[in-house]
Amino acid sequence: MAQTVSGATATPKMQMSPERAQEVIQMTKRIRHGFPELKDIPDEQLLYATWRSFKRIDQTSDSDYHKMANVFFREFDRHLLNYQFSKAGEDDVVRHRFFAIITELFQ
């Protein structure tokens, strides 16, 4: 998934176990379904943001669903939407939506 824009740095290769890959795909599908405000975000960017979120979670070895939801919120709000959720004051609502998706995924 290297970027071809001149001057841009290459996107890291998304390396993960088959189990994690399945979780990333499932989470991406659920995020796509549960966040209509992300409809204009290309699938590749959504998948990459989901992978980055899981990568951050894996680095901390934290399995608390609330903390995981916070990681997803920060990744999507900051890197994908330029703080759109924060600016609208939707922090808690969006974190709760991520929490619901994570809980459903890992049940």
Side-chain angles (χ1 to χ4, degrees), residues 15-106:
Q15 296 179 347
M16 64 197 102
S17 70
E19 295 82 16
R20 178 57 87 202
Q22 186 173 7
E23 291 169 350
V24 168
I25 291 168
Q26 289 300 315
M27 184 74 177
T28 303
K29 287 179 181 178
R30 289 180 177 151
I31 290 170
R32 174 67 76 200
H33 183 277
F35 286 88
E37 56 268 63
L38 299 175
K39 70 181 183 316
D40 294 333
I41 304 294
D43 289 339
E44 295 81 21
Q45 283 184 301
L46 196 64
L47 184 66
Y48 183 69
T50 304
W51 172 76
R52 278 179 49 120
S53 298
F54 274 119
K55 184 174 179 179
R56 291 184 198 287
I57 290 165
D58 290 344
Q59 289 171 344
T60 63
S61 300
D62 198 341
S63 60
D64 177 74
Y65 292 172
H66 288 285
K67 290 181 182 176
M68 290 171 74
N70 286 335
V71 169
F72 275 93
F73 171 79
R74 282 191 309 271
E75 177 66 32
F76 279 75
D77 189 46
R78 181 180 303 153
H79 297 290
L80 218 52
L81 297 173
N82 195 29
Y83 299 100
Q84 179 181 329
F85 291 135
S86 296
K87 290 175 185 175
E90 298 178 352
D91 304 42
D92 290 336
V93 172
V94 173
R95 281 186 181 103
H96 181 72
R97 289 164 62 191
F98 277 118
F99 177 81
I101 292 170
I102 291 166
T103 304
E104 181 184 330
L105 180 68
F106 292 115

